[in-house]
Amino acid sequence: MGWGRGNSYLVLDGDNSVLVDTGLKGSRNDLKAKLDELLGGGELSWLVLTHTHYDHVENAAWIKEHYNSQIILHRSEADYLKQGCSPLPTGTNPWAGLVGKIGRKITSLSDYELANPDILVDDKYQLTHHSYLMHTPGHTEGSISLIVDDEVALVGDAMFGVFWWSIFPPFADDVPLMKKSWGKLAKTGCKIYLPGHGTKNSQELLIKQCKKYRVF
């Protein structure tokens, strides 16, 4: 729902509707307006959380209550959502490392309204006839991506979409694991990769980055 600092995506598949990530609390009014328009006043089937960092989940509890939707996330991050707090990630460069270090000292930055998940996934989960969830760890232990029609992948922060020449995010807990996840995503054959921040990445760019970082 727009390209910018934090992206949410709505996937419509017949009678099913899937929202991927929720953005920050400050974006709630805009998110509601767009959901109401696209859903026609109906309910939301599922809310998929690619991971539980505050900038992706601050509206999760509200979405679940307001749209009667089920929350789906990876099993390894369920407790974070239940507690309403997820640790901030490690920086992948000196600047980001400093920001992350400061952020981890200000614990309120990682707090949000807690919510109870409904479906916990592991390595792969068939969501609809045309889409499935895949474990793509690295940015966080439980990062997941939604693969739609083997054409479009909604990848959360497994990739960055701010720079046209790079998909490397400024934050990741496990960089080698994240690179392996790029390889998994490349093997899906998807042509478009939609990140949590910035604009879409192409298959060509992903393959170039995989070769650059010796993923394959």
Side-chain angles (χ1 to χ4, degrees):
M1 293 187 184
W3 309 114
R5 188 170 65 179
N7 299 324
S8 298
Y9 301 97
L10 181 67
V11 179
L12 301 176
D13 184 357
D15 294 331
N16 298 311
S17 52
V18 186
L19 179 66
V20 178
D21 290 337
T22 77
L24 295 164
K25 188 175 181 179
S27 67
R28 183 173 298 177
N29 289 338
D30 288 341
L31 181 62
K32 180 181 184 302
K34 291 178 181 179
L35 283 175
D36 289 346
E37 176 187 355
L38 294 169
L39 293 173
E43 295 182 345
L44 176 70
S45 307
W46 298 290
L47 167 59
V48 169
L49 300 176
T50 60
H51 59 293
T52 56
H53 287 155
Y54 73 97
D55 56 333
H56 292 253
V57 305
E58 279 196 341
N59 292 309
W62 175 81
I63 287 286
K64 179 174 182 175
E65 179 180 2
H66 192 81
Y67 293 97
N68 194 33
S69 56
Q70 291 188 308
I71 295 178
I72 305 176
L73 76 163
H74 193 268
R75 188 178 304 278
S76 65
E77 300 199 21
D79 286 343
Y80 295 144
L81 189 68
K82 292 176 183 178
Q83 296 164 6
C85 182
S86 183
L88 297 177
T90 303
T92 59
N93 58 61
W95 176 85
L98 178 61
V99 171
K101 188 182 232 183
I102 295 172
R104 283 190 291 277
K105 290 182 179 180
I106 307 173
T107 56
S108 61
L109 288 177
S110 56
D111 293 343
Y112 47 82
E113 184 179 358
L114 62 85
N116 288 315
D118 299 284
I119 300 173
L120 302 179
V121 304
D122 293 302
D123 290 334
K124 186 175 179 180
Y125 183 85
Q126 193 73 37
L127 186 58
T128 71
H129 181 68
H130 298 99
S131 65
Y132 65 92
L133 292 162
M134 182 172 69
H135 189 205
T136 50
H139 178 70
T140 65
E141 181 183 0
S143 290
I144 56 175
S145 298
L146 178 66
I147 312 301
V148 182
D149 283 331
D150 291 325
E151 287 286 337
V152 179
L154 291 78
V155 300
D157 287 356
M159 299 179 195
F160 209 44
V162 173
F163 306 113
W164 63 264
W165 64 88
S166 176
I167 65 172
F168 211 108
F171 300 98
D173 286 334
D174 190 328
V175 170
L177 191 57
M178 178 183 67
K179 292 176 183 176
K180 288 182 179 180
S181 290
W182 293 352
K184 289 174 63 176
L185 286 163
K187 289 177 181 178
T188 65
C190 288
K191 303 296 190 296
I192 297 172
Y193 298 85
L194 301 178
H197 305 280
T199 58
K200 66 183 180 181
N201 291 316
S202 66
Q203 182 186 54
E204 291 77 13
L205 178 59
L206 173 59
I207 291 173
K208 285 181 181 179
Q209 292 281 277
C210 285
K211 290 180 179 178
K212 176 181 178 179
Y213 293 104
R214 300 180 180 179
V215 175
F216 51 70

